Amino acid sequence: MTALALPTGEVDTSHGPILYLEGVSVSFDGFKALNNLSLYIDEGELRCLIGPNGAGKTTLMDVITGKTRPDNGSVFFGQTIDLLKLDEPAIAAAGIGRKFQKPSVFEKLSVFENLELALATNKGVWPTLFAKLTSIQRERIDEVLLTIGLIESRWQQAGDLSHGQKQWLEIGMLLMQEPKVMLIDEPVAGMTHQEIERTAQLLLSLQGERSVIVVEHDMEFVRSIAKRVTVLHEGSVLTEGTMDEVQNDPRVIQVYLGD
Amino acid sequence: MFKQFYEHDKAAFWLLTLIGGIVFLIPTANIIFPEESPFHVSAYSISIIGKYLTFALLGLSLDLVWGYCGILALGQGAFFALGGYAIGMYLMRQIGTRGVYGNADLPDFMVFLNWQELPWYWYGFNHFWFALLMIVLVPGLLAYVFGWLAFRSRVTGVYLSIITQALTYALLLAFFRNEMGFGGNNGLTDFKELLGFNIQSSAVRACLLIASGLALMLAFVVSKWVINSKLGRVITAIRDQEARVRFIGYRVELFKLWIFVFAAVLAGIAGALYVPQVGIINPSEFSPLNSLEIVIWVAIGGRGTLYGGIIGAVLVN
Ligand SMILES: Nc1ncnc2c1ncn2[C@@H]1O[C@H](COP(=O)(O)OP(=O)(O)O)[C@@H](O)[C@H]1O
Ligand SMILES: [Mg+2]
């Protein structure tokens, strides 16, 4: 649990995928939230994950980020980094960032301070005590504030933001971390139509330089961003393909109608 | 500079001015007004006020861990008592041959127990510098070991509160035992001199009050700086969303440990300033109730404000 050594150097993606999940199972009191699940995410790809409530999407993110330990299976970041040997901060430092389903920004801190804490830098205790923002880092924060449309609210307490703005701030915090893989759980819940469109644009602009996994219920939104879609059902992958393929798959139709 | 500071943080400015005023005026009033004057402050009152200043420092220390980091530590009194014992041991060694048994090598209670030689852990306490080191080191080290075990295993909330109570209770029982070599039930008392000066004299009492006031001011300023640093914001974030802080890459347990140890050191210093002013340290200072009382001070004065612990400590007392 307390692997203190942070993985250093580059993530080895020489074989294509940046994230490997193989035969992963998680059970809660006998109930299988994930059941022998395998999933591969390529470097730079934008993958959408859909599936009915309780399919195990959030649990999957919990496993990748070290919050939940699987009973079985392996989870690798690139060819060499075994994520099951690392704890949450080490996984974050290795380059995997996460936006939670329920917005969990630091409500007592300002928008600016939320981004400052997320900023990719040395996060040891003493360096943090003596940390001073460089002008480059300030510019980086301003840039992200602009991207997430919160430049006017930079000194506002994060707790005072609207639900949609909190979602954006979460995404902004994710950007500040400059991760190689972004896990984004239900980004558009509670957003207005316009906000949803802007979120779609933002996520589309990210693919290529980083891998993004998006979990979302809003089918219209998924359709607007997805190249590849993975459908989860009862803790396993039901099918994978383009949005059209997936939507016309009779098993998928049955799962959604039966839901 | 003063103006800038005043405008930046009025509450802190007034608090520091108030403490500074006490530090300057009380000893002055003791010296310049004759005893029959209504403005005269007796040596006894000096010690009482000095004592409150040490409580204020103790309150401040708990506000750091509880108010800012959300760790409801119910054993802050233990670090205070350990700091007190450290200075108490020095003061015992200063008694020399003036004890009841006139034994230069052993404190009275050890002679009474028929001990032949000084236990090893009393070595060095005849030096003031060594005592100063221990005042910081002993509470700091205990907090480090205890905190490392607790925070690494992610003990939080009410469980952490309970084990901190258990810690101070265990120390209470241990220090009660005569065989431990800390004076048992009676503790350490009958002090004569501090750095060669009569500990009962007005001058020494005034110096202790000044030292307590300055320690409080310094601790306040340093704490303020810590809280305003990025580390301060991480600590606050841990209080509000502990899990989230881990996912952005901070080792929560190390941050908790840092603030816990820092606060324990402040509490130890408070204890060391307290003991010479009240003239005694005994195991009752480890009483779990004492630690609960500190929480009440902070709750009354206002959590997460820094001055809350200070004001609460003075108000309640
Ligand atoms: N910590 C937990 N304890 C018990 N059951 C859980 C826990 N987390 C998730 N589950 C269960 O696992 C299943 C999958 O949950 P989740 O991954 O949140 O689904 P999704 O995000 O796809 O809606 C659900 O039935 C949920 O009740
Ligand atoms: Mg979910």
Side-chain angles (χ1 to χ4, degrees):
Chain A
M1 278 298 272
T2 51
L4 268 167
L6 297 184
T8 48
E10 288 299 293
V11 182
D12 178 4
T13 56
S14 55
H15 292 74
I18 191 163
L19 206 55
Y20 295 77
L21 287 96
E22 272 163 3
V24 174
S25 296
V26 172
S27 50
F28 297 112
D29 309 318
F31 171 78
K32 287 219 160 188
L34 291 182
N35 189 1
N36 198 20
L37 176 138
S38 296
L39 185 69
Y40 307 91
I41 305 294
D42 279 338
E43 196 183 5
E45 96 162 282
L46 173 75
R47 176 74 64 94
C48 284
L49 223 57
I50 60 173
N53 255 331
K57 306 180 295 291
T58 299
T59 306
L60 175 66
M61 296 200 166
D62 289 345
V63 167
I64 298 171
T65 52
K67 190 179 176 203
T68 300
R69 295 288 167 194
D71 308 327
N72 285 304
S74 59
V75 185
F76 271 81
F77 187 34
Q79 299 294 311
T80 50
I81 303 174
D82 183 354
L83 291 181
L84 300 185
K85 292 217 175 87
L86 303 179
D87 64 359
E88 300 100 314
I91 292 172
I96 297 180
R98 172 175 189 184
K99 178 213 157 297
F100 285 77
Q101 181 169 349
K102 185 171 146 274
S104 47
V105 296
F106 304 118
E107 310 231 328
K108 295 277 164 55
L109 301 179
S110 70
V111 169
F112 183 91
E113 289 168 338
N114 269 271
L115 295 178
E116 181 207 12
L117 289 197
L119 176 80
T121 180
N122 188 335
K123 286 175 177 167
V125 177
W126 293 103
T128 304
L129 180 61
F130 295 106
K132 272 193 98 108
L133 284 175
T134 65
S135 54
I136 296 172
Q137 290 171 331
R138 277 183 184 281
E139 273 167 34
R140 175 80 189 125
I141 295 178
D142 282 346
E143 204 177 271
V144 169
L145 279 168
L146 217 54
T147 312
I148 61 175
L150 289 177
I151 193 113
E152 304 286 326
S153 327
R154 61 194 305 167
W155 299 121
Q156 212 172 319
Q157 268 208 350
D160 297 339
L161 298 177
S162 74
H163 188 78
Q165 285 176 317
K166 281 184 192 168
Q167 297 270 44
W168 275 84
L169 178 54
E170 279 246 10
I171 295 172
M173 289 165 75
L174 205 47
L175 294 171
M176 291 306 307
Q177 292 180 65
E178 298 177 20
K180 300 186 184 76
V181 174
M182 287 184 168
L183 309 175
I184 305 183
D185 205 348
E186 308 210 4
V188 300
M191 281 191 180
T192 65
H193 196 74
Q194 273 181 336
E195 286 172 327
I196 292 179
E197 255 171 42
R198 275 177 54 198
T199 309
Q201 278 166 17
L202 174 65
L203 294 183
L204 281 171
S205 75
L206 292 175
Q207 64 179 329
E209 37 179 326
R210 45 198 65 158
S211 310
V212 185
I213 305 179
V214 182
V215 163
E216 193 43 73
H217 279 299
D218 188 320
M219 280 305 150
E220 200 185 329
F221 174 75
V222 173
R223 176 170 280 285
S224 69
I225 62 169
K227 298 223 166 42
R228 275 189 90 66
V229 179
T230 300
V231 186
L232 245 55
H233 178 54
E234 293 180 349
S236 321
V237 173
L238 185 69
T239 182
E240 213 169 276
T242 65
M243 192 66 189
D244 283 329
E245 284 165 9
V246 160
Q247 271 191 322
N248 293 321
D249 189 319
R251 288 174 303 172
V252 176
I253 294 168
Q254 206 213 327
V255 162
Y256 270 89
L257 290 180
D259 190 31
Chain B
M1 203 183 91
F2 270 116
K3 190 158 175 268
Q4 223 178 354
F5 176 45
Y6 172 71
E7 271 159 18
H8 187 69
D9 192 340
K10 287 197 174 70
F13 177 86
W14 285 118
L15 188 78
L16 285 173
T17 309
L18 183 68
I19 303 167
I22 290 173
V23 163
F24 179 73
L25 289 177
I26 301 289
T28 313
N30 173 265
I31 295 164
I32 61 170
F33 296 110
E35 254 167 66
E36 55 283 359
S37 157
F39 297 108
H40 179 77
V41 178
S42 69
Y44 175 72
S45 312
I46 289 185
S47 288
I48 300 277
I49 295 164
K51 188 175 91 174
Y52 291 162
L53 290 174
T54 66
F55 286 159
L57 179 53
L58 180 58
L60 169 73
S61 79
L62 184 72
D63 195 22
L64 286 170
V65 275
W66 183 41
Y68 285 94
C69 198
I71 305 167
L72 182 49
L74 299 183
Q76 202 65 9
F79 304 121
F80 181 81
L82 286 171
Y85 266 98
I87 193 76
M89 287 163 82
Y90 162 78
L91 294 170
M92 286 308 273
R93 302 294 289 132
Q94 291 291 293
I95 296 173
T97 54
R98 283 162 297 184
V100 177
Y101 297 105
N103 188 326
D105 299 323
L106 290 184
D108 275 355
F109 73 88
M110 291 186 192
V111 179
F112 185 75
L113 288 172
N114 264 327
W115 289 15
Q116 300 306 319
E117 51 187 273
L118 199 66
W120 61 266
Y121 47 83
W122 275 75
Y123 292 172
F125 276 98
N126 46 332
H127 303 294
F128 187 63
W129 65 264
F130 184 82
L132 286 187
L133 199 66
M134 290 303 129
I135 286 163
V136 171
L137 226 55
V138 173
L141 213 63
L142 177 69
Y144 186 86
V145 172
F146 179 87
W148 192 76
L149 293 170
F151 301 139
R152 196 186 54 128
S153 338
R154 300 197 182 170
V155 180
T156 54
V158 77
Y159 299 102
L160 188 100
S161 302
I162 290 169
I163 61 168
T164 51
Q165 280 266 285
L167 171 75
T168 192
Y169 189 62
L171 286 167
L172 169 77
L173 295 182
F175 276 74
F176 252 123
R177 296 164 56 92
N178 282 327
E179 309 89 90
M180 279 286 286
F182 295 107
N185 191 10
N186 300 320
L188 310 175
T189 188
D190 286 333
F191 309 135
K192 309 281 190 239
E193 282 181 355
L194 177 63
L195 290 170
F197 298 100
N198 178 2
I199 200 160
Q200 306 282 357
S201 68
S202 298
V204 168
R205 287 177 185 236
C207 286
L208 284 167
L209 171 118
I210 292 169
S212 305
L214 291 181
L216 179 59
M217 289 165 80
L218 187 66
F220 181 80
V221 171
V222 173
S223 301
K224 192 104 200 143
W225 178 78
V226 168
I227 289 308
N228 288 336
S229 76
K230 188 173 172 188
L231 180 137
R233 291 188 281 283
V234 173
I235 298 283
T236 314
I238 290 173
R239 176 190 69 195
D240 296 337
Q241 295 267 5
E242 177 169 339
R244 188 71 176 87
V245 179
R246 286 202 183 92
F247 290 109
I248 51 177
Y250 294 96
R251 295 209 160 269
V252 166
E253 64 275 20
L254 298 184
F255 283 82
K256 284 183 169 180
L257 189 57
W258 193 93
I259 199 78
F260 190 63
V261 170
F262 178 64
V265 167
L266 291 185
I269 293 170
L273 287 161
Y274 166 82
V275 166
Q277 300 190 77
V278 297
I280 183 167
I281 172 79
N282 63 32
S284 69
E285 293 297 337
F286 285 110
S287 155
L289 280 177
N290 280 21
S291 291
L292 290 175
E293 202 180 309
I294 309 166
V295 172
I296 294 171
W297 301 345
V298 178
I300 288 178
R303 278 180 73 185
T305 52
L306 286 187
Y307 46 81
I310 297 175
I311 293 169
V314 175
L315 276 184
V316 174
N317 287 293

